[in-house]
């Protein structure tokens, strides 16, 4: 446990060789990540990191049929609309989140859902799937960040069937604790909207469409989510 590790370190039971090894491992990991970033970043003013999703090998691909999962997506869409209609303040906040995603280039309008839905209903060709992900709405009253207590994100359950987690680049906790002993100063930081800073390549964006409209009198619009999706099984490894 963490308490046990802290107790060990407090008793000077970690020798200098292990401390040096921890520093070396951490440095190698940081160098590897930075080299990958330089090779994959978009060469424009954003210098944005672009990733390929960790797709399963073709032999392990499940068959995706839109007729099997789309009714659930549409039912959840209608349920969320009904929920928001009952709470105008919540509805305004949710719509503000969606508009921010559009203005920031995270959510890209594709067209009207009626014009594209047949593309998603047919049996999807392996390696060229097109998916629609349902919206999820989370409320945490204790949240005090700039995005407030409301979080709007996509449910990546159907998308996760095509992905594997990938390599975990997080340093071992024991290495981090040893580094604390060798450095006089430490700094912690939180990357603002980390997953939404990472661009997904255009082919893999086909796995993360979403539908929405701002009023029931409007037609449903199909959007494409261009950044990493929180909750996708490979988001942590590819974002690292």
């Amino acid at each position: 446990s963490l308490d046990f590790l802290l107790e060990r370190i407090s008793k000077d039971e970690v020798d200098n060789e292990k401390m040096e090894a921890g520093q070396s491992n951490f440095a190698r990991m940081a160098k590897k990540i930075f080299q990958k970033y330089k090779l994959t970043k978009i060469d424009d003013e954003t210098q944005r990191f672009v990733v390929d999703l960790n797709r399963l090998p073709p032999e392990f691909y499940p068959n995706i049929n839109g007729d099997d999962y789309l009714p659930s997506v549409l039912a959840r869409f209608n349920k969320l609309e009904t929920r928001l209609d009952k709470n105008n303040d919540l509805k305004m906040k949710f719509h503000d989140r969606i508009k921010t995603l559009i203005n920031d280039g995270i959510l890209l309008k594709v067209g009207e859902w009626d014009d594209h839905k047949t593309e998603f209903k047919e049996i999807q060709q392996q390696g060229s799937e097109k998916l629609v992900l349902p919206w999820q709405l989370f409320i945490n009253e204790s949240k005090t960040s700039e995005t407030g207590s409301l979080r709007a994100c996509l449910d990546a359950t159907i998308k996760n069937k095509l992905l594997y987690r990938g390599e975990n680049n997080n340093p071992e906790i024991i290495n981090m604790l040893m580094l604390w002993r060798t450095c006089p100063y430490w700094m912690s930081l939180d990357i603002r909207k980390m997953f939404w800073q990472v661009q997904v390549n255009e082919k893999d964006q086909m796995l993360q469409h979403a539908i929405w409209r701002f009023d029931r009198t409007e037609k449903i619009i199909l959007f494409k989510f261009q950044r990493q999706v929180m909750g996708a099984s490979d988001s942590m490894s590819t974002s690292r």
Side-chain angles (χ1 to χ4, degrees):
S1 68
L2 179 58
D3 290 339
F4 173 73
L5 293 174
L6 289 172
E7 183 179 356
R8 283 180 56 195
I9 289 178
S10 67
K11 292 181 179 178
D12 292 327
E13 294 183 1
V14 180
D15 56 40
N16 289 332
E17 290 184 3
K18 288 185 178 179
M19 290 183 184
E20 292 174 0
Q23 286 180 316
S24 178
N25 291 337
F26 190 82
R28 282 198 296 268
M29 181 196 70
K31 183 178 181 180
K32 179 180 178 181
I33 292 173
F34 186 68
Q35 288 175 338
K36 184 176 182 180
Y37 168 76
K38 290 194 295 183
L39 291 172
T40 57
K41 66 182 175 63
I42 297 178
D43 191 18
D44 63 10
E45 68 278 2
T46 67
Q47 296 291 286
R48 195 170 300 285
F49 187 22
V50 186
V51 298
D52 297 338
L53 300 185
N54 294 333
R55 290 180 180 247
L56 289 169
E59 60 267 28
F60 296 106
Y61 256 49
N63 290 322
I64 301 293
N65 189 334
D67 290 330
D68 294 335
Y69 81 92
L70 278 178
S72 174
V73 173
L74 295 172
R76 291 178 62 175
F77 168 82
N78 291 326
K79 185 177 181 179
L80 181 56
E81 265 198 325
T82 301
R83 178 185 177 186
L84 295 177
D85 285 341
K86 296 177 181 179
N87 187 330
N88 192 59
D89 182 57
L90 183 62
K91 183 177 183 178
M92 294 292 290
K93 289 180 179 179
F94 183 80
H95 283 173
D96 285 344
R97 296 286 183 275
I98 302 299
K99 290 175 182 177
T100 298
L101 293 176
I102 296 172
N103 293 335
D104 290 348
I106 298 174
L107 202 60
L108 179 68
K109 180 179 177 181
V110 178
E112 294 183 2
W113 170 242
D114 287 340
D115 294 336
H116 294 272
K117 60 185 179 183
T118 55
E119 303 170 20
F120 298 86
K121 287 185 175 181
E122 57 196 25
I123 296 178
Q124 302 291 294
Q125 182 180 354
Q126 289 188 352
S128 302
E129 292 86 357
K130 290 184 178 182
L131 302 179
V132 180
L133 309 182
W135 287 102
Q136 295 187 107
L137 178 60
F138 297 104
I139 299 176
N140 184 352
E141 296 298 343
S142 63
K143 193 92 170 160
T144 58
S145 68
E146 65 173 274
T147 54
S149 60
L150 184 147
R151 172 173 288 182
C153 55
L154 297 173
D155 183 348
T157 301
I158 185 68
K159 172 186 170 184
N160 286 341
K161 293 182 178 182
L162 304 177
L163 306 175
Y164 65 93
R165 289 185 178 277
E167 180 182 1
N168 182 4
N169 289 317
N170 286 327
E172 295 291 334
I173 185 66
I174 184 63
N175 290 341
M176 295 297 297
L177 293 173
M178 287 190 291
L179 284 171
W180 290 346
R181 282 295 300 267
T182 62
C183 301
Y185 303 103
W186 269 87
M187 178 186 299
S188 64
L189 58 90
D190 181 23
I191 301 177
R192 179 175 176 267
K193 302 178 182 178
M194 184 184 81
F195 292 131
W196 292 354
Q197 302 295 335
V198 181
Q199 185 91 355
V200 173
N201 76 55
E202 190 168 349
K203 180 181 179 181
D204 289 333
Q205 289 176 19
M206 296 297 106
L207 299 181
Q208 41 196 58
H209 290 87
I211 55 174
W212 195 248
R213 61 184 173 188
F214 295 100
D215 190 277
R216 285 184 179 272
T217 62
E218 300 175 353
K219 289 185 177 293
I220 298 175
I221 300 299
L222 177 69
F223 294 93
K224 185 169 61 175
F225 205 85
Q226 301 191 96
R227 309 286 173 81
Q228 275 285 20
V229 174
M230 292 182 291
S233 58
D234 70 336
S235 288
M236 186 60 70
S237 63
T238 51
S239 295
R240 294 285 177 182

